[in-house]
Amino acid sequence: MNEALVRSLTPSVLGILVRRGADFAAAEDAVQDALAEAVRVWPADPPRDPKGWLVTVAWRRFLDATRADTARRRREDRVDEEPVRGPAPAADDTLQLYFLCSHPSLTPSSAVALTLRAVGGLTTRQIAQAYLVPEATMAQRISRAKRTVSGVRLDRPGDVATVLRVLYLVFNEGYSGDVDLAAEAIRLTRQLAAAIDHPEVAGLLALMLLHHARRAARTAADGSLVPLAEQDRGRWDTGSIAEGVRILQAALARDRLGEFQAQAAIAALHADAPAAEETDWVQIVEWYDELARLTDSPVVLLNRAVAVGEADGPRAGLVALAALDGSLPRHTAVAAYLHERDGDPVKAARLYAEAARKAPNLAERDHLTRQAARLNARRSP
């Protein structure tokens, strides 16, 4: 396939979709899907009209995505803005769709990506950010997943672990504020917990409730982020915290520890502290050690470095951070925070500014920019 030709056609194809009525972000996703399909098809069957082929395929992808998004929004309109406590209401077909998209013929990563795109309504860019991969790579992964399930019978639902992963990522995207899906993820996890007696399902539900309990305090009136240590804990939802802790304790008592239970335990320790300075950081480090053993995740180790910096001092946190890949998302922001606590405001300000340029969203970028400005203002005469 002539990659130079494809690159030259991409802006034109994107423009045609926008002129036909597609919004820019949706058009970009559709074009990425078409490009991934071209990579697969063109080497064996090159089209006579490459531009026309790309426009046709991209427009079909856009229509498919629009229909899926419309169906998702109808489902969301049926739920309240905030999750209802207590037993789950009667189940609809959404949770079943999650299981069907997690088909055994797909790899777990492909199943998660497909479900987030087809049922969760997330864009390819948002899914790629969640997986820490380039958007083009994720577009190809989703296209392969669609091709895989297009020729199979969807009568063998996927496993619980994959569905939990999807629900967790949907909740995280909703919690970030980019797509308000957090309440829907909690609702579906309640349904799953009512249907399946599994400690990790309970662990995920507890984790969601404990995080969601802090939602009102996460942003200031102007929309800016409020760090956990600075949040008004009086605005935390104590009812959700109590429910989350109760569910977590019951799950941990079964002695079948999983990653969601470990994450929920960390969230519970934060929720249990009356003030930030009373947080039990030593125990949080211990839970991060358990979580790292369960997941082998570099993001977990990055968060652990922050906890080590709180428990044993910023120098110890910097030592833990030095062992990690500097290209990890938010690595620079963590380095800035630890250097500030270690008494090096000049380096911290520089790193905050650098981290702001790498920030994945506007709210985080603005927060990091303000941190750099705050430190620079202290040095001004």
Side-chain angles (χ1 to χ4, degrees), residues 95-286:
L95 190 58
Q96 182 64 17
L97 289 174
Y98 273 68
F99 272 96
L100 292 177
C101 283
S102 303
H103 195 269
S105 62
L106 296 172
T107 64
S109 60
S110 295
V112 171
L114 176 62
T115 313
L116 290 173
R117 188 73 181 90
V119 187
L122 276 63
T123 66
T124 303
R125 180 180 294 106
Q126 289 167 329
I127 302 169
Q129 289 173 349
Y131 268 88
L132 311 180
V133 299
E135 185 176 352
T137 300
M138 184 53 65
Q140 293 181 17
R141 184 180 299 176
I142 293 172
S143 294
R144 285 195 298 269
K146 289 177 180 178
R147 291 195 301 271
T148 299
V149 299
S150 65
V152 301
R153 289 175 56 86
L154 294 179
D155 55 0
R156 295 167 54 217
D159 66 342
V160 175
T162 302
V163 175
L164 289 179
R165 181 69 55 195
V166 174
L167 288 169
Y168 180 52
L169 289 173
V170 170
F171 174 81
N172 279 340
E173 198 60 51
Y175 194 60
S176 75
D178 294 330
V179 180
D180 191 8
L181 293 174
E184 172 73 348
I186 291 175
R187 182 181 74 87
L188 293 172
T189 307
R190 284 193 189 281
Q191 288 185 6
L192 190 58
I196 299 176
D197 184 18
H198 193 299
E200 272 293 83
V201 176
L204 177 59
L205 179 57
L207 176 63
M208 289 180 174
L209 291 170
L210 289 163
H211 278 312
H212 204 73
R214 302 199 301 259
R215 187 172 190 178
R218 290 184 72 245
T219 54
D222 61 0
S224 59
L225 290 179
V226 180
L228 176 60
E230 300 172 19
Q231 289 177 14
D232 178 2
R233 299 185 179 219
R235 299 183 65 194
W236 289 1
D237 184 346
T238 55
S240 291
I241 291 173
E243 183 185 7
V245 169
R246 175 180 57 77
I247 292 171
L248 173 63
Q249 289 174 337
L252 292 175
R254 301 178 65 176
D255 198 25
R256 290 168 55 194
L257 184 63
E259 62 175 292
F260 292 121
Q261 295 169 73
Q263 289 188 61
I266 293 169
L269 287 167
H270 284 297
D272 187 55
E277 57 270 18
E278 298 179 59
T279 304
D280 188 347
W281 286 106
V282 172
Q283 193 172 169
I284 287 176
V285 171
E286 293 174 353

Side-chain angles (χ1 to χ4, degrees), residues 335-336 339-340 344-353 375 379:
H339 277 291
E340 179 184 358
D344 190 347
V346 175
K347 187 169 186 178
R350 178 177 59 78
L351 289 170
Y352 275 129
L375 293 180
R379 294 160 46 206

